[in-house]
Every structure is written in structure tokens, then in C-alpha cells.
Amino acid sequence: MRGVCPYNEHVPQDAQAARLRAAFDDDRDADTFLLRLERYGPDLLGSLQAVYGDAADELYRRLTEALVLAFHERPADLKRLDEARLLRPDWLQQERTLGYVAYTERFAGTLKGVRAHLPYLQDLGVTYLHLMPLLQPRDGENDGGYAVQDYRAVRADLGSMQDLSDLARDLRGAGMSLCLDLVLNHVAREHVWAQRARAGDATYQAYFHMFPDRELPDAYERTLPEVFPEFAPGNFTWDDASGTWVWTTFNTYQWDLDWSNPAVFLEFVEILTYLANRGVEIFRLDAIAFIWKRLGTDSQNQPEVHFITRALRAALRVAAPAVAFKAEAIVAPADLISYLGRGEHHGKLSDLAYHNSLMVQLWSSLASRDVRLFETALLNFPPKPTTATWGMYVRCHDDIGWAISDTDAAQAGVSGDAHRRFLSDFYAGEFPGTFASGLVFQHNPRTGDRRISGTAASLAGLERALALGDDAQETLALERLLTLQAVTLAFGGVPLLYMGDELALLNDYSFEGNPEHALDNRWVHRPQMDWTRAERRSDPGTPEGRMYAGLQALIRARQRLPHLHASVESEVFRSPNPAVLFLARRHPLGTLLALYNFSDEAQSFPAAALTPHFARARDEITGAPVDLGRDVTLAPYGRLWLVAAAD
């Protein structure tokens, strides 16, 4: 590598290219880099100008230098992956894509342990492995790893950065991509940036929101919500060391970064390229909705967030285009779609976003045995760019917040407030006739918000059924779980399996005896992987065997259905039966109709609603023909993926 030439806005572009070319010893590498910069440079610079104004040109110069260095440091096999991904930009949208989400220590102890269990993931059909926060967090309480002390180090108990690179290499060889969390909004109070700020270093104090008195914090607080009202009320924390109030949206030990400082942006581009060059292919952009602060607002979903994401994406497209972004934005649908790109940002932001609304509506319909609110919510959902896709999930590491729109509820003929209260009562196990075993998380008396913790299996009734020794209820609980998974697998996007859901793992109440976890009941649904139960996954006489076999049948069916390519949107039909969700996917190779019974009783579905699409049908889950000469009967919590049958 030759010396890196600085960018200068006053130098003609051919001269700029010549100077950048001088930084390369290989003409092919120079051509590759310059072609990418020609393609994505305008997006990068334009986005920086929208956020940083006059400071953008100097930031662009420094970024270009950092990107050249990152390109040179990128291993050859990852450069080859870059070229392959550029030739197949829909790689995340393929029907064979299947995600698996786990905590390293709870799945396999260490990163080397994960490598040893890759055959298990391959058997399941996983192509995308998301390992929950594993970068070095602060000691003690750390919000489940989301209080990062060092972005360039792995937790010592999990392994080393070399172990992470080795795992990423083995995953690539097994056809799997590694996804890691990148916390954008905040760092741990113990991070070197925060420590230097606490010591009075003005350069690093500018990395944070620090205030000498309560005047501005109080003004901001008037419009800010509280994320953790029970154990972290308010949004600002007094810091004795610096003698200032510090913005701390989540916990007192998590210091919010000031993204209006161009130096913060540059730091994160260097972090992203460092981790990408160690084999991370997908970054979950944690708490991205919060990164820009504006007085008089809730400081979420501000326009600058999207320009910053666009600039980060453009930078990575130059240095490591194999990388994809997943937006962790648990916000209202109207705001969520912006994280995939709307208007001038169309198709230029994150490649993937969580479809939180789908998850909420799954559990809502399961409790109510009624899909009309589900239909309304999906019908009101704005369309996404065809270049981006959804991450769909039944459960995740977090609590379930009942993000149900009052507008959607009113259109469906229910009270939003009453329905949210019903769902909290139902899944907390307090509603008469409930099957669920869950825990209330973060009750806010001021707003009435009561979120829910619990594994999918316990929320779906398996815990109660096994405690009672009730075989019929056990069967119903497993069928509930399989129908929820079927919706996510066939909705179109990247289905994300949360560790243990393939075995129907139950709530783990041992968290109450761990001082670091006892105050956060979300650990009830973060159990240790039960490898003894995993060994029984082929035994149809066990709950785990029945769950695993049913899920595998769904996954295998998904893999052979081009209808499930994520560029195609699912269409929602108003169902003639309020207990049955009715979805369609119109693909050039044919239409797929999906029916899901959310009731514990058999349901009849009129054949007349199906015959306009095809005269003869086959269920792709079982391979069995379906007689459309009469109404179709779905078993309790039954599911059908119908395609046209050959004559």
C-alpha cells in the first residue's frame, strides 16, 4: 500500500482519482475502490452535508482515508464475498434464508463452543446466525451486554477477537452469515471516551450530551418518554467526576453519544470496518431511533437519523459491500418504514428491519382468537422498498410491548387501551381462562404500559400443560407455537428463530437467584440451551421432538418455495372467518395462499374464497392435495400453504 492521499474539494475529480489511485499498489484494487467510490461517494457526501453542513467536506476527506485503509486490510476471502454480494444483491431475500438468534454463553458457553455446534444449526437449516451482544461490556450490570466498554474486544469469558474471526470463517464455509449488535446510541460509562470526558478532556466531552445544570435537561424532559421507568426513571444522570448532567436514555451507566459531532460518525465507520474485516456480515444497529436529539420532541426518529444511516451504508458499500444493516427500530409502522428508506432515501438505508408489529399481532390474535385487528394492522402497514426486507420473529431476547395503534383498534371495532390491558392480563396469567405463563415487565402506572416477559412456549401454554400433565393442552400449545412460526416463515423476509424455540424451551426462573439479573425479569426468557433436550429432538414422544419435527417440516417447505422470495409482498385479505388469517403471495411462478387458524376449535373456510386463485390445490407443508370442491376445514391452530396442484 502506498501513502493515502487526502481528499480536497477544490481539486478536480480526475486529479482526486489519480491521488487516490496512488494509494494502491495493485491497479485492479484501485479500479475496484474508485468504481465503488464513484457509485456511493455522492450518497456519502450528500448525506454528510445534510447532517454536518460545512464540516462535511473535511469529514469526507478523513473518511476516504479511513476507507482506503479498511479496503487494504480486508482479507482476500471477504473481498471475494464482496464481489459475490454485489452480483446477488438479493442474498438476504432468498427463500432459503433462515436466521437463528442466541446468546453465545447460553447457547454454547464460548465462541469455540459455537463452532462445535455448527452441525446442529446446519441440520436446522440456518443461514444467518445472530449472536447477541458479545463485545466487551462494563463489569457488573450491563443491560444484557448493551453497555459496551470496548467495541474492539470480545468478552474474555467468551473468547478473543481471533476466536470471533475463526467462527466467522467457519460460518462462511457452512453457508452462514454472522450478525452482531452494534450499539449506536450509547456507550458504557467505563468506555475510554467516557472516561476521558469524565477527566475533563474537552475533545471527548464533545462526544456526549453533558450539561452543567438542569436547565436544558428539564426542558428536554418535558417531551421525553421513559424507557425503564421502574429502575432507571428520567433521561439524565448526575456525574460527580465531571460535575455535569449526562444524557442517559436507558440506564445511568449508558452514556448517550452526540452524533451531531462529526468525530463520532468517523469513530463508528472505523469500528464498522474493523468488525467487518473480522467477518461480521450483518450489523444490528441497536437503538438507532434514539441517536439524534431535538428539543421539544421525543428525540426519536429524527430526520438526521436516516441521513446518518445512509452515510454509514454508503461508506460500507465502498469498503465492505458484503455487509448488510438491520435496523433495531421498535417504533410505530409509519415511522418504521423510514428505516428501510422512503422518498429520497428509498432503498438506501437498512437492508432489514424488525417487523415488530407482526410479532405483536401474532400474540394478540392468539389471545383473542380473532384476526380482524391483525388484518387491519397489516392492511394499514405501508409498503416497503423491494430492495429491503423484514426480519420476522415469534419471540426475541426482549420483552413484548403491546404496540397496538388506537387507530387500527378503532377500525377493527375494539378499544386500543382496553385491548392492551387485556393482553397484559392474559399473558401475565391473570385473565380467566388464560393458557399463558408470563411476567409483567416495567409497569408504568402513569401510562398504563405493562410489557410482558416469557418464552414463546410458556406464553403459548406449554408450561401450564406440562405442570398439569394434560396431554390435550400440550398438543394445543405445540400447535399454537407451530402456527406462529408458520406465519413468520411464510410472510416473506428473514424468519428469525430465537434460541430454544425449536425445542419449545420453557421459562427459566433461575434468574431470580443471580444478583446481576434479578431485577430484570427479561432473563426468564433467556434460558440456557438444554442440550439434553436437544438430543431428544428426534423423539416424537417428547414435546421437543414434536416441536422440532413440526418446525423442520415448515422450514423444508419454505426452502422449496420461490413464492417466499422477500421481494414479493404478502397481501392481506379480509377473511370470511374471523378466526382464520388469510394471506396471499403473488409470485411470477404462481400464487401461494396461506391460511392460519388462531382458534382452539376446528374452523371451516369457504372454498369460494380460494377457487378464484386456482381450481386445484396442494398443501406445501404436508404435500397433500386439498379438495376445493367443498369448504376447507382447518384443525385447531391448523395451517395451510396452498399452491396450484398440477392437473
Side-chain angles (χ1 to χ4, degrees):
M1 172 185 167
R2 302 169 190 154
V4 177
C5 161
Y7 163 84
N8 188 320
E9 64 175 316
H10 302 297
V11 177
Q13 288 305 301
D14 55 349
Q16 296 280 9
R19 291 186 179 185
L20 282 172
R21 184 175 291 278
F24 294 86
D25 297 315
D26 187 307
D27 285 341
R28 289 172 298 179
D29 279 351
D31 286 340
T32 296
F33 184 88
L34 290 170
L35 283 169
R36 291 181 192 167
L37 191 63
E38 181 181 343
R39 166 64 180 84
Y40 296 107
D43 259 358
L44 176 56
L45 181 57
S47 299
L48 296 176
Q49 289 170 336
V51 176
Y52 299 111
D54 292 341
D57 288 319
E58 171 61 15
L59 177 57
Y60 185 86
R61 182 194 67 79
R62 296 176 66 192
L63 279 168
T64 305
E65 183 172 339
L67 294 176
V68 170
L69 290 171
F71 182 92
H72 279 294
E73 292 171 356
R74 192 148 173 83
D77 62 330
L78 289 174
K79 285 185 176 180
R80 186 181 186 283
L81 184 65
D82 289 335
E83 299 305 318
R85 292 274 166 83
L86 288 169
L87 291 171
R88 182 167 290 196
D90 65 341
W91 64 277
L92 266 179
Q93 298 181 303
Q94 300 291 316
E95 59 271 14
R96 296 188 66 84
T97 304
L98 177 68
Y100 192 84
V101 183
Y103 286 90
T104 302
E105 68 275 22
R106 295 190 166 252
F107 178 66
T110 64
L111 292 170
K112 289 180 179 178
V114 175
R115 290 173 70 192
H117 285 294
L118 293 189
Y120 175 83
L121 298 174
Q122 287 179 291
D123 181 60
L124 193 55
V126 172
T127 64
Y128 161 129
L129 176 62
H130 176 190
L131 293 178
M132 298 297 288
L134 53 74
L135 301 178
Q136 181 60 51
R138 70 189 299 268
D139 290 337
E141 193 178 357
N142 55 46
D143 191 24
Y146 289 101
V148 179
Q149 184 172 332
D150 187 348
Y151 288 94
R152 290 178 170 83
V154 170
R155 274 174 45 188
D157 60 315
L158 302 182
S160 65
M161 191 56 71
Q162 185 59 53
D163 291 330
L164 184 69
S165 296
D166 291 343
L167 172 61
R169 183 196 62 237
D170 287 359
L171 285 167
R172 288 195 299 278
M176 290 181 250
S177 298
L178 177 62
C179 174
L180 287 192
D181 295 83
L182 186 72
V183 185
L184 296 177
N185 180 68
H186 48 264
V187 297
R189 184 174 55 210
E190 291 74 16
H191 192 286
V192 64
W193 302 339
Q195 288 301 298
R196 290 177 179 175
R198 299 182 83 195
D201 188 326
T203 296
Y204 288 96
Q205 287 184 338
Y207 278 39
F208 302 96
H209 300 272
M210 305 175 78
F211 307 90
D213 54 44
R214 285 292 308 190
E215 181 179 357
L216 274 174
D218 286 343
Y220 278 109
E221 285 282 23
R222 294 187 188 106
T223 55
L224 293 177
E226 293 176 307
V227 176
F228 297 136
E230 287 187 2
F231 52 72
N235 290 272
F236 298 87
T237 299
W238 175 256
D239 178 58
D240 283 329
S242 61
T244 63
W245 289 93
V246 181
W247 200 314
T248 55
T249 295
F250 291 88
N251 287 286
T252 59
Y253 52 78
Q254 291 167 299
W255 283 25
D256 285 31
L257 291 159
D258 187 352
W259 278 82
S260 70
N261 181 350
V264 171
F265 183 93
L266 179 60
E267 293 273 18
F268 272 90
V269 169
E270 292 176 347
I271 290 167
L272 278 161
T273 54
Y274 174 85
L275 293 170
N277 283 351
R278 275 137 195 86
V280 180
E281 297 180 31
I282 303 156
F283 288 96
R284 174 186 177 273
L285 304 180
D286 181 73
I288 189 171
F290 295 84
I291 66 173
W292 195 269
K293 321 300 187 186
R294 178 164 281 114
L295 190 64
T297 73
D298 62 1
S299 291
Q300 295 182 43
N301 310 308
Q302 298 301 304
E304 290 83 357
V305 171
H306 306 306
F307 280 107
I308 288 170
T309 308
R310 181 171 169 177
L312 290 173
R313 180 184 184 271
L316 267 291
R317 286 295 191 268
V318 174
V323 167
F325 285 168
K326 175 169 60 175
E328 190 268 332
I330 310 303
V331 297
D335 294 318
L336 176 59
I337 204 70
S338 296
Y339 289 84
L340 295 177
R342 300 183 84 175
E344 64 181 310
H345 300 307
H346 184 85
K348 296 183 177 181
L349 301 185
S350 292
D351 306 276
L352 188 65
Y354 288 108
H355 202 315
N356 180 65
S357 182
L358 184 77
M359 181 274 296
V360 169
Q361 294 298 336
L362 286 171
W363 293 103
S364 170
S365 290
L366 204 63
S368 66
R369 281 82 161 177
D370 192 309
V371 302
R372 285 173 289 191
L373 177 56
F374 201 159
E375 293 169 345
T376 300
L378 291 180
L379 285 167
N380 287 342
F381 218 89
K384 66 170 182 62
T386 57
T387 54
T389 191
W390 297 117
M392 291 93 47
Y393 56 103
V394 171
R395 282 298 286 118
C396 68
H397 73 290
D398 220 340
D399 56 279
I400 301 178
W402 303 117
I404 290 170
S405 154
D406 286 337
T407 300
D408 291 346
Q411 289 178 11
V414 298
S415 161
D417 181 64
H419 191 63
R420 288 187 290 270
R421 283 188 280 109
F422 157 69
L423 292 173
S424 293
D425 289 345
F426 189 94
Y427 286 108
E430 299 169 1
F431 193 83
T434 184
F435 47 70
S437 299
L439 303 174
V440 171
F441 177 73
Q442 292 293 310
H443 178 210
N444 188 335
R446 182 173 61 85
T447 64
D449 184 35
R450 295 168 72 224
R451 294 175 258 166
I452 293 293
S453 295
T455 67
S458 288
L459 295 179
L462 187 60
E463 184 175 325
R464 286 189 181 228
L466 293 175
L468 294 171
D470 189 325
D471 292 343
Q473 288 301 314
E474 178 184 326
T475 295
L476 286 176
L478 292 169
E479 292 301 317
R480 289 185 192 107
L481 290 170
L482 288 169
T483 288
L484 297 185
Q485 295 290 356
V487 176
T488 63
L489 285 162
F491 191 77
V494 179
L496 302 170
L497 294 173
Y498 185 56
M499 187 207 80
D501 282 358
E502 74 277 14
L503 303 173
L505 293 190
L506 303 177
N507 284 346
D508 178 5
Y509 298 101
S510 66
F511 80 94
E512 296 170 326
N514 184 333
E516 290 184 18
H517 298 163
L519 296 179
D520 185 348
N521 68 26
R522 290 175 297 178
W523 286 99
V524 78
H525 54 254
R526 300 167 182 173
Q528 295 284 347
M529 183 62 168
D530 190 332
W531 289 107
T532 300
R533 290 186 67 180
E535 290 299 318
R536 298 197 295 264
R537 65 188 184 276
S538 299
D539 183 352
T542 63
E544 51 270 27
R546 295 165 67 187
M547 182 67 203
Y548 193 87
L551 184 59
Q552 268 211 322
L554 292 168
I555 292 169
R556 300 297 179 257
R558 171 184 164 81
Q559 290 171 337
R560 60 178 180 262
L561 281 169
H563 312 69
L564 300 181
H565 190 283
S567 60
V568 176
E569 289 266 29
S570 281
E571 295 180 48
V572 185
F573 294 132
R574 288 291 185 187
S575 176
N577 183 327
V580 178
L581 185 66
F582 185 19
L583 303 177
R585 297 183 61 75
R586 300 178 193 270
H587 188 274
L589 295 181
T591 295
L592 181 145
L593 300 179
L595 302 176
Y596 305 100
N597 180 7
F598 278 81
S599 165
D600 54 6
E601 297 180 355
Q603 297 292 324
S604 177
F605 194 86
L610 305 172
T611 50
H613 303 277
F614 30 67
R616 302 178 64 221
R618 180 181 72 253
D619 174 28
E620 280 293 327
I621 298 173
T622 63
V626 176
D627 183 3
L628 298 185
R630 58 183 179 181
D631 290 348
V632 174
T633 299
L634 288 97
Y637 302 110
R639 53 213 162 263
L640 293 170
W641 292 349
L642 302 177
V643 298
D647 293 331

